[in-house]
Amino acid sequence: MGRYFVSGVVTTLTGGTFPYGTMLVNITGCLVIGFFATLTGPDGRLLVGTPARQFVMIGICGGYTTFSSFSLETLYLMQAGEWMPAALNAVGSVILCVLSVSIGYVAAAALNRGV
């Protein structure tokens, strides 16, 4: 439901020709999973059991992020001959998501150290 809501709002705001909503969902999902994985990891500040950790990381984050939708939308752009938007979507999503998961990691690592 969160993915649908965020994608819908962004599509309404941007006109819907480029999958900005999907990209935003992937970026924010990566930020959350990077933060939570680090905060609750072996050296983390927050002690969370394995089932709860898996529920958040696999269930919530996995259900929220949309790499399957991302892939299909990129394919549709390519099939329409929209090669630059397809490349921008693929490269932009991967780079921004890796950056976001890194930011989440750094933020949670700082919390773990008590900063």
Side-chain angles (χ1 to χ4, degrees), residues 26 48 53 66 78:
N26 286 333
V48 175
R53 195 164 190 260
T66 57
M78 293 179 349

Side-chain angles (χ1 to χ4, degrees), residues 77-99:
L77 288 169
M78 293 179 349
Q79 289 175 334
E82 298 289 334
W83 294 103
M84 284 304 286
L88 178 64
N89 188 43
V91 173
S93 289
V94 171
I95 290 171
L96 293 171
C97 287
V98 171
L99 179 63

Side-chain angles (χ1 to χ4, degrees), residues 63-86:
Y64 175 70
T65 58
T66 57
F67 261 72
S68 57
S69 296
F70 149 79
S71 299
L72 184 60
E73 289 169 342
T74 304
L75 175 64
Y76 288 160
L77 288 169
M78 293 179 349
Q79 289 175 334
E82 298 289 334
W83 294 103
M84 284 304 286

Side-chain angles (χ1 to χ4, degrees), residues 4-112:
Y4 177 77
F5 175 76
V6 171
S7 289
V9 168
V10 172
T11 298
T12 299
L13 294 173
T14 62
T17 56
F18 185 84
Y20 291 109
T22 301
M23 188 182 286
L24 180 63
V25 165
N26 286 333
I27 291 165
T28 57
C30 287
L31 177 68
V32 169
I33 202 169
F35 184 85
F36 188 80
T38 305
L39 192 64
T40 63
D43 297 329
R45 169 176 278 227
L46 187 62
L47 217 67
V48 175
T50 300
R53 195 164 190 260
Q54 289 175 336
F55 174 75
V56 171
M57 293 172 62
I58 297 168
I60 294 175
C61 290
Y64 175 70
T65 58
T66 57
F67 261 72
S68 57
S69 296
F70 149 79
S71 299
L72 184 60
E73 289 169 342
T74 304
L75 175 64
Y76 288 160
L77 288 169
M78 293 179 349
Q79 289 175 334
E82 298 289 334
W83 294 103
M84 284 304 286
L88 178 64
N89 188 43
V91 173
S93 289
V94 171
I95 290 171
L96 293 171
C97 287
V98 171
L99 179 63
S100 293
V101 80
S102 299
I103 291 168
Y105 172 87
V106 168
L111 275 176
N112 287 339

